[in-house]
């Protein structure tokens, strides 16, 4: 890696943590430059605009999500074990100390849902890909005879997504101490009703 790439990655680490707390729109080049120990013009040279910075933060988050959640889950045996590994990985992501504000994608979904443009387009694409990956894992579980033949795998993926969204809301916004236990219980119930 070059020094420029290392610097850019360090900036993205700071920006990702910050965006998870304050949102992509509130990212400030001046604040990020100060936290990164560089000039505003030096930071600006890496991204050329605030929108490019925001988009690169989203791309970095998606890349890290794949590296930390999807890739390890693909090493787990096919079928229900892999579905569970994806769910557990998503929990780890939602509680990652490097994301002090929680899942950036969930925060960005609220921020960008009515704002057309490249940021929203990227977020929509990444979330559709994630739903498709979860549905594919469920389909493989059907093929492996772990789940019922008539399981609607797309609906299964949406239900898992709903469990995580509710967990994020109840734990982060409402500070409900049983949010994780409730989410795990709902996931276990979903698995039980999906099994062959």
């Amino acid at each position: 890696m070059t020094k420029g790439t290392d610097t850019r990655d360090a900036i993205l680490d700071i920006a990702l943590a910050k965006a998870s707390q304050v949102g992509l729109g509130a990212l400030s080049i001046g604040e990020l430059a100060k936290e990164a120990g560089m000039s505003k013009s030096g930071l600006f040279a890496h991204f050329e605009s605030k929108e490019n910075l925001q988009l690169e933060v989203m791309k970095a988050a998606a890349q890290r999500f794949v590296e930390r959640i999807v890739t390890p889950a693909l090493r787990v045996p096919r079928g229900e074990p892999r579905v569970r590994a994806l769910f557990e990985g998503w929990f780890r992501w939602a509680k990652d100390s490097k994301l002090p504000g929680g899942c950036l994608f969930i925060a960005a979904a609220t921020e960008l849902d009515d704002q057309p443009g490249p940021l929203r387009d990227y977020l929509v694409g990444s979330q559709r890909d994630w739903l498709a990956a979860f549905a594919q894992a469920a389909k493989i579980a059907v093929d492996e005879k772990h789940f019922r033949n008539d399981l609607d795998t797309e609906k299964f993926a949406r239900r898992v997504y709903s469990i995580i969204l509710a967990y994020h809301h109840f734990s982060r916004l409402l500070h409900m101490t049983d949010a994780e236990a409730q989410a795990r219980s709902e996931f276990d119930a979903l698995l039980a009703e999906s099994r062959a």
Side-chain angles (χ1 to χ4, degrees):
M1 272 199 199
T2 65
K3 184 175 185 234
T5 302
D6 289 343
T7 301
R8 192 171 194 278
D9 287 348
I11 294 165
L12 288 171
D13 284 340
I14 295 166
L16 183 51
K18 181 80 81 189
S20 80
Q21 291 179 296
V22 301
L24 290 163
L27 285 178
S28 157
I29 287 181
E31 265 186 52
L32 287 176
K34 188 175 181 181
E35 284 191 47
M38 57 193 309
S39 68
K40 282 171 69 171
S41 61
L43 189 140
F44 192 81
H46 285 277
F47 302 100
E48 299 177 351
S49 73
K50 184 174 177 178
E51 186 175 74
N52 283 346
L53 168 66
Q54 293 166 326
L55 188 56
E56 290 304 313
V57 167
M58 293 283 286
K59 288 178 179 179
Q63 179 186 349
R64 288 167 193 177
F65 188 88
V66 169
E67 289 169 357
R68 295 177 189 169
I69 285 73
V70 179
T71 301
L74 293 177
R75 294 187 200 112
V76 172
R78 293 164 50 95
E80 185 178 326
R82 187 172 294 168
V83 168
R84 184 173 286 282
L86 287 168
F87 180 79
E88 292 298 333
W90 204 356
F91 252 107
R92 283 192 312 277
W93 174 264
K95 299 187 304 183
D96 190 330
S97 62
K98 293 179 181 174
L99 298 170
C103 179
L104 175 68
F105 305 115
I106 293 173
T110 303
E111 184 179 359
L112 300 174
D113 62 355
D114 294 320
Q115 295 188 25
L119 285 175
R120 183 183 187 282
D121 294 345
Y122 186 84
L123 178 63
V124 167
S126 70
Q127 295 309 284
R128 285 191 176 145
D129 288 348
W130 176 229
L131 280 167
F134 227 107
Q136 179 62 24
K139 183 183 180 316
I140 291 170
V142 170
D143 295 342
E144 294 290 323
K145 310 285 191 237
H146 297 168
F147 288 172
R148 302 186 327 263
N149 281 332
D150 65 342
L151 181 69
D152 182 336
T153 57
E154 290 182 13
K155 183 177 178 184
F156 177 90
R158 290 193 304 267
R159 287 182 66 188
V160 172
Y161 199 101
S162 297
I163 291 168
I164 293 291
L165 287 176
Y167 162 73
H168 202 273
H169 182 80
F170 294 145
S171 67
R172 301 203 66 81
L173 179 66
L174 301 178
H175 298 289
M176 292 182 170
T177 56
D178 66 341
E180 183 172 347
Q182 179 67 36
R184 290 182 181 284
S185 173
E186 289 176 23
F187 181 67
D188 288 341
L190 176 60
L191 289 181
E193 72 182 63
S194 302
R195 287 187 185 114

